[in-house]
Amino acid sequence: MPLNATPLTPITLIIFGATGNLATTRLFPAIFHLYKDQYTPKDFRILGIARRELTNDAFRMLVRDVIKQYFGSSLKEQEWSSFASLIEYQQLDFSKRRDYDNLCTLIGRDDVKKPRSKLYYLAVAPEYYAAIFDHIEHCELPMRKKGVWTRVVIEKPFGTDFESAMQLNNRLQKIFHEDEIYRIDHYLGKETVQNILAFRFANGMFEPLWNHEFIDHVQMTVAEDDGVGARGAFYDKTGALRDVGQNHLLQLLAHIAMEKPKTLQPDDLRTARLDVLRKLKGGGPHVDDWVVSGQYDGYTREENIHPSSKTETFVSLKLFVDTPRWNDIPFYVRTGKKLARDVTEVSIQFRKPVQKFFGHADNDETNILTLRIQPDEGIALRLNVKRAGHGRDLQQVEMNYCYKHPSADGHEAYDTLLLDAMHGDQSLFPHLDEVMASWKFVTPMLGSRKTKRTVVLYPQGSWGPKEADELLVRDGRAWLTGALQVCDIHH
Ligand code: BG6
């Protein structure tokens, strides 16, 4: 999809947590990329805020280093220096009222000449949200003027469970209206995730088959080969279920399971996703029957991880979508760190033909459709054909489509979403109701984690605990990751 190129009015982008992992690895490269390709407004200011004592120049150097790492030798000095001139830095202790007075003055500094729109980005740990809202409220509200807007982008996870998400929202809504709140889930900004809808609804041949009559089951894997790295302090409080399960994984599922949205307008897209999230149902009477949690061996020796931590770095679920389309078709989903490979994909296994009249097949006759979200992005379909030669045996073959460029002009999810937030397009940002519906489904699993379920250790580089395989084996099925080559055949 081409990025939105409509001209924008003057904007000040205010990033809380500007020296942190998210801002440095994702946000600044995205902002620079948008700037370089002239998507940002002509009149643009970036205000980085963090606890570290840094001068403007020192902060700019830090940003330069991350951008350099990202763009390498394609970074042009002239582009960098004009971008650097937009950046300012303000040191702030998130809980000190006095620090915010300086900040308010800085944010509002240019409003005297011409009112500017404000985009706040909270790239800090969730425990700082309340203090930030308490303090910016008194400077933000008086700055509101006709003809300009204020929006806030909040990172996932939005809250830590159903109750805390509700409280966070109540707090937020004292300052911002729902149409000013952008709850980010960057999976929605990925081209390959957006393409799920194009694939399903722009090809008349798939939609008639996309239901329990023709599909045996659906699988989703969001696997990473990396561990928690430098994010131990955040991760140990969060775990895989909150970090990826409640958001990226369930949103991916919503794209696969949704009914056709009425239109592609934001409200209709959000409603279509919400209708799925509201219908999620656990795969058995007891949470422990359909949820498997694991922790990779060596996790507790990582930096900033409690030595007796029980935080899960892997989670796998069997669940259902209680709609007429899906009836009793299971969805098996899993996500984890330090797994065998870095791969995010959805596989749909179709039912076998009713009547078997060909001879021997390589494996069995099921057709499988795999949508590879990343890396080696593409789509593969496993089909049966006659094995050449004498006889009537079958052979399985794969049809593959590989994206040449899975993103528009090299722009990635954060670029798309930041730009959408500047343009006021909320389509790819979950509505409060979506977030609450996923928490409603996930929260009981968190409760059970505290009480009885144990977290099973798994070896680094494996596919997680064997109990996650058993979720499928019990049903006579197996994980399909790696069954189709998708686009890794080219590497
Ligand atoms: C983030 C999680 O939201 O998504 C990380 O906090 C995870 O733990 C990341 O690594 C995965 O994103 P991507 O775009 O690399 O698949």
Side-chain angles (χ1 to χ4, degrees):
M1 214 185 337
L3 295 181
N4 198 331
T6 323
L8 287 160
T9 51
I11 297 177
T12 301
L13 170 62
I14 304 133
I15 304 178
F16 287 90
T19 57
N21 183 274
L22 175 77
T24 51
T25 58
R26 309 258 184 165
L27 298 183
F28 276 107
I31 300 162
F32 177 72
H33 205 171
L34 290 173
Y35 173 77
K36 181 168 122 60
D37 290 354
Q38 299 176 12
Y39 286 111
T40 51
K42 280 217 160 52
D43 188 347
F44 190 42
R45 259 181 86 198
I46 304 163
L47 193 52
I49 299 162
R51 278 169 299 180
R52 256 195 253 175
E53 198 68 73
L54 288 175
T55 60
N56 277 335
D57 279 342
F59 179 65
R60 288 177 193 136
M61 282 319 287
L62 187 149
V63 174
R64 186 182 192 283
D65 285 349
V66 296
I67 290 180
K68 181 81 193 162
Q69 269 174 34
Y70 200 85
F71 289 91
S73 55
S74 71
L75 177 66
K76 296 199 185 84
E77 261 333 297
Q78 207 192 341
E79 268 170 358
W80 161 253
S81 49
S82 63
F83 181 69
S85 70
L86 310 176
I87 304 178
E88 282 173 280
Y89 180 75
Q90 169 77 40
Q91 189 274 335
L92 181 118
D93 179 332
F94 294 132
S95 51
K96 265 203 201 140
R97 172 74 184 245
R98 180 129 39 87
D99 284 8
Y100 285 85
D101 291 338
N102 299 337
L103 179 64
C104 293
T105 316
L106 194 58
I107 295 175
R109 189 187 64 200
D110 296 341
D111 284 32
V112 190
K113 285 183 253 154
K114 196 197 245 166
R116 305 169 65 80
S117 295
K118 316 271 179 329
L119 183 62
Y120 291 93
Y121 200 117
L122 266 67
V124 294
E127 61 258 35
Y128 299 116
Y129 290 173
I132 294 175
F133 295 142
D134 282 348
H135 293 102
I136 60 170
E137 186 174 10
H138 79 276
C139 69
E140 165 49 30
L141 293 179
M143 276 195 289
R144 297 196 166 204
K145 304 262 164 28
K146 261 217 163 105
V148 297
W149 47 256
T150 297
R151 295 179 190 138
V152 61
V153 183
I154 304 230
E155 265 298 328
K156 50 130 290 264
F158 187 83
T160 51
D161 58 12
F162 186 86
E163 207 40 55
S164 65
M166 195 53 105
Q167 282 165 10
L168 170 59
N169 196 64
N170 291 343
R171 184 70 197 86
L172 256 180
Q173 288 192 334
K174 290 205 175 119
I175 318 178
F176 302 100
H177 299 287
E178 177 61 27
D179 62 3
E180 295 171 330
I181 304 172
Y182 288 67
R183 301 175 192 82
I184 204 162
D185 177 330
H186 76 280
Y187 267 57
L188 271 69
K190 289 185 189 276
E191 277 293 326
T192 45
V193 173
Q194 294 183 58
N195 186 47
I196 296 175
L197 300 194
F199 182 81
R200 287 188 53 194
F201 302 119
N203 295 300
M205 60 189 285
F206 291 112
E207 189 50 15
L209 307 180
W210 212 263
N211 57 57
H212 68 98
E213 277 184 58
F214 297 96
I215 290 178
D216 177 78
H217 75 278
V218 179
Q219 303 189 3
M220 292 180 191
T221 294
V222 178
E224 294 177 278
D225 54 8
D226 274 348
V228 289
R231 297 167 70 227
F234 158 78
Y235 197 88
D236 207 31
K237 281 188 237 138
T238 309
L241 194 52
R242 291 186 175 108
D243 185 40
V244 172
Q246 180 264 344
N247 32 75
H248 304 332
L249 201 53
L250 292 186
Q251 280 291 349
L252 200 53
L253 189 147
H255 283 73
I256 295 294
M258 70 163 69
E259 296 304 313
K260 189 174 180 180
K262 274 203 201 103
T263 71
L264 294 178
Q265 292 306 307
D267 285 352
D268 291 333
L269 282 171
R270 291 168 127 198
T271 303
R273 298 194 301 252
L274 174 63
D275 288 345
V276 174
L277 298 168
R278 281 200 170 137
K279 293 290 183 184
L280 299 177
K281 206 174 79 178
H286 303 292
V287 173
D288 290 344
D289 301 337
W290 54 275
V291 180
V292 174
S293 307
Q295 185 185 80
Y296 64 80
D297 196 14
Y299 170 75
T300 50
R301 293 190 295 277
E302 300 263 30
E303 197 188 330
N304 292 325
I305 303 296
H306 195 279
S308 57
S309 171
K310 292 276 176 258
T311 300
E312 82 287 356
T313 59
F314 173 97
V315 69
S316 180
L317 320 173
K318 172 184 170 182
L319 56 102
F320 294 99
V321 179
D322 198 7
T323 60
R325 179 191 288 269
W326 296 108
N327 210 2
D328 51 2
I329 292 303
F331 285 68
Y332 303 95
V333 303
R334 61 179 174 177
T335 182
K337 295 205 183 275
K338 284 273 186 202
L339 295 182
R341 58 188 278 218
D342 216 5
V343 63
T344 296
E345 67 184 23
V346 179
S347 284
I348 295 171
Q349 182 163 325
F350 289 87
R351 291 189 189 279
K352 292 182 186 177
V354 181
Q355 196 190 4
K356 182 178 162 75
F357 57 82
F358 284 95
H360 172 79
D362 283 352
N363 192 346
D364 58 35
E365 297 93 0
T366 51
N367 299 119
I368 296 167
L369 173 72
T370 296
L371 306 174
R372 171 71 63 75
I373 306 300
Q374 65 188 31
D376 300 327
E377 293 81 355
I379 298 172
L381 181 61
R382 185 159 91 183
L383 300 169
N384 296 300
V385 297
K386 181 185 170 302
R387 187 187 296 285
H390 191 67
R392 296 267 191 271
D393 284 353
L394 293 176
Q395 174 189 1
Q396 290 176 335
V397 294
E398 240 179 70
M399 279 171 65
N400 289 66
Y401 160 67
C402 298
Y403 286 78
K404 276 210 187 88
H405 304 288
S407 53
D409 311 332
H411 283 281
E412 294 185 12
Y414 272 96
D415 311 29
T416 308
L417 295 175
L418 271 164
L419 193 58
D420 281 357
M422 292 191 220
H423 282 282
D425 183 341
Q426 292 187 305
S427 318
L428 302 179
F429 293 85
H431 186 277
L432 171 68
D433 296 344
E434 290 175 72
V435 174
M436 296 318 294
S438 19
W439 276 127
K440 195 166 176 201
F441 178 65
V442 164
T443 301
M445 300 178 219
L446 299 168
S448 138
R449 174 165 75 184
K450 272 191 226 122
T451 51
K452 50 181 169 131
R453 210 165 33 188
T454 45
V455 177
V456 191
L457 280 188
Y458 61 91
Q460 296 191 11
S462 69
W463 281 112
K466 63 175 183 352
E467 286 78 353
D469 299 338
E470 282 160 15
L471 271 185
L472 284 83
V473 173
R474 281 205 301 258
D475 298 342
R477 300 183 173 111
W479 288 106
L480 292 167
T481 314
L484 275 70
Q485 297 293 299
V486 198
C487 296
D488 25 36
I489 46 175
H490 298 292
H491 291 220

